[in-house]
Amino acid sequence: MKASRIAAAGALAASAVLALSVPAFAHVTVQPEGTAAKGGYAVVDFRVPNERDNASTTKLEVSFPAEHPLTSALPVPVDGWKIKVDKATLDKPIESHGEKITEAVSKITWTAEGKGIEPGYLQKFPVSIGQLPEDADELVFKAIQTYSNKEVVRWIEVPQKGQEEPESPAPVLALSAAEDDHHGASGSTDAAEDASGDAEAAAQNTASEDSGDSSDTTARVLGIVGIVIGAAGVAYGVLAGRRRTTA
């Protein structure tokens, strides 16, 4: 009885945690694939869940932060969706890699060419963005989600620290500390080290296999020699026996 009560209580607690966690995943959010370091570039996913059971999501509009303009935003093609990238002229040009940039991405719109995001599904929209600001801890991307029944949900409320999450929070991208190389040189170094380690391991395996092959060859030669010697011994014994019989 005690065990069954404990199990029931555990199941109830688990369902409560699940019920509390569901709303957190029901918003349009933005998350990096890996890290989004200050001053660097990153691939981020705008994740769009369908919150309706009687309509599909057919359009997503994401506005880029004007206070921290991003000069590069390259969306990854998504099957069944048409993509449009809008740019705006900057009030003050930005210098990047020795060049003056006069415009930045202001909005990206994804429009479904088919059914869109059907009830019970979530869709990811990847975008490569940069150069990320060095003087900010996060970027806010306001989003508008449109359903097939013409309903529009505006995810534009900016969350404030120390306050409860708003009803329709805007997607927020947290930025990590700047890396030594904004273009991922440290990652390349790690990859090179991994490749070197793999090569060394492969060399050791090859040497081990060569050693094993050599040992096998030696064993085979010794085995053949043993067989020959044994056969010679048997033949000698037979001959010796015949001589004794003849005598």
Side-chain angles (χ1 to χ4, degrees):
M1 291 296 293
K2 290 183 179 180
S4 61
R5 289 177 181 176
I6 293 174
L12 180 60
S15 62
V17 171
L18 178 61
L20 291 174
S21 62
V22 167
F25 293 96
H27 308 323
V28 174
T29 60
V30 58
Q31 298 179 13
E33 294 185 3
T35 60
K38 298 179 181 179
Y41 291 78
V43 175
V44 300
D45 293 330
F46 291 96
R47 301 188 178 191
V48 184
N50 193 326
E51 295 184 301
R52 305 293 181 261
D53 56 10
N54 60 350
S56 298
T57 295
T58 56
K59 181 188 283 189
L60 173 68
E61 301 170 76
V62 175
S63 295
F64 279 56
E67 64 275 14
H68 296 292
L70 300 175
T71 58
S72 176
L74 304 175
V76 177
V78 179
D79 290 340
W81 293 81
K82 180 175 62 177
I83 306 173
K84 181 185 178 184
V85 179
D86 292 324
K87 294 185 177 182
T89 302
L90 299 174
D91 295 333
K92 183 179 180 181
I94 298 175
E95 190 163 332
S96 177
H97 305 296
E99 297 182 2
K100 285 189 176 182
I101 307 298
T102 58
E103 61 181 13
V105 176
S106 58
K107 184 172 69 173
I108 297 181
T109 303
W110 290 266
T111 305
E113 296 180 318
K115 295 181 179 180
I117 308 172
E118 298 184 81
Y121 287 87
L122 175 147
Q123 178 69 55
K124 293 194 300 182
F125 299 94
V127 184
S128 174
I129 61 175
Q131 186 170 355
L132 300 175
E134 298 181 357
D135 57 349
D137 295 324
E138 62 184 25
L139 294 177
V140 178
F141 297 86
K142 297 182 179 181
I144 298 177
Q145 182 178 10
T146 302
Y147 286 90
S148 57
N149 60 0
K150 307 303 180 183
E151 178 186 2
V152 176
V153 180
R154 301 178 184 275
W155 304 100
I156 60 174
E157 299 179 63
V158 181
Q160 302 296 328
K161 292 182 179 180
Q163 298 183 14
E164 293 185 0
E165 184 179 64
E167 185 177 350
S168 301
V172 177
L173 176 66
L175 303 181
S176 59
E179 298 178 349
D180 293 338
D181 187 339
H182 296 160
H183 296 280
S186 59
S188 299
T189 301
D190 292 340
E193 291 177 352
D194 291 341
S196 176
D198 292 341
E200 183 177 353
Q204 291 176 351
N205 290 336
T206 301
S208 177
E209 292 173 358
D210 291 344
S211 177
D213 292 342
S214 177
S215 298
D216 290 343
T217 302
T218 302
R220 289 171 185 172
V221 172
L222 292 176
I224 293 172
V225 171
I227 292 172
V228 172
I229 293 174
V234 171
Y236 178 80
V238 172
L239 292 174
R242 287 179 178 177
R243 288 175 181 175
R244 290 175 184 174
T245 302
T246 303

